[in-house]
Amino acid sequence: MAVVDDVLALGDELERSYAVHVRGRLKFRVGQIVYVAFSLDETVMGFGFPKDERAALVASEPDKFQLPSPSDLRFNWVEARLAALDPVEARELVVDAWRMVVPKKLARAYDLTHPDGPG
């Protein structure tokens, strides 16, 4: 079972990323782009994910993943129940969402320095 503390350090460790609190919710940003956000009760993690792949992700593991609220369907976004994720999987989702919002050279540099992923 993953918890916010499993991924909290990534919010500051990933290049150009920083953690903010907006109306009591923890979010990770690059510039003004939010790529990860947690629910107020920290049981759900929303994260950047390609729109064209999210239906398949949700269908593959509906107990773990869910579509965002109807108002957020226009964004590249999906949500996961933290209790259904293991800590390594949660960190991988955060890093993959970060990759969507940074230049490719930063993502490649991360891969070179972390060949085994965020572990």
Side-chain angles (χ1 to χ4, degrees), residues 78-113:
V78 74
E79 296 177 345
R81 292 169 192 82
L82 282 171
L85 298 174
D86 65 61
V88 172
E89 184 178 23
R91 286 191 291 272
E92 288 171 352
L93 293 171
V94 169
V95 171
D96 288 345
W98 168 81
R99 281 187 174 101
M100 291 180 64
V101 298
V102 296
K104 288 184 181 162
K105 73 177 191 174
L106 289 182
R108 281 192 302 270
Y110 178 87
D111 292 340
L112 290 173
T113 58

Side-chain angles (χ1 to χ4, degrees), residues 23-91:
R23 295 187 197 114
R25 292 180 59 192
L26 175 63
K27 298 182 178 199
F28 296 164
R29 290 183 175 170
V30 169
Q32 292 300 310
I33 300 171
V34 175
Y35 68 93
V36 170
F38 296 92
S39 62
L40 276 173
D41 62 3
E42 297 182 347
T43 60
V44 176
M45 178 177 78
F47 55 96
F49 195 82
K51 280 186 201 178
D52 57 340
E53 297 175 22
R54 69 180 170 195
L57 178 69
V58 171
S60 71
E61 296 185 79
D63 58 320
K64 187 181 290 189
F65 300 105
Q66 62 192 22
L67 291 174
S69 65
S71 63
D72 288 336
L73 284 174
R74 62 191 167 135
F75 301 111
N76 291 322
W77 201 253
V78 74
E79 296 177 345
R81 292 169 192 82
L82 282 171
L85 298 174
D86 65 61
V88 172
E89 184 178 23
R91 286 191 291 272

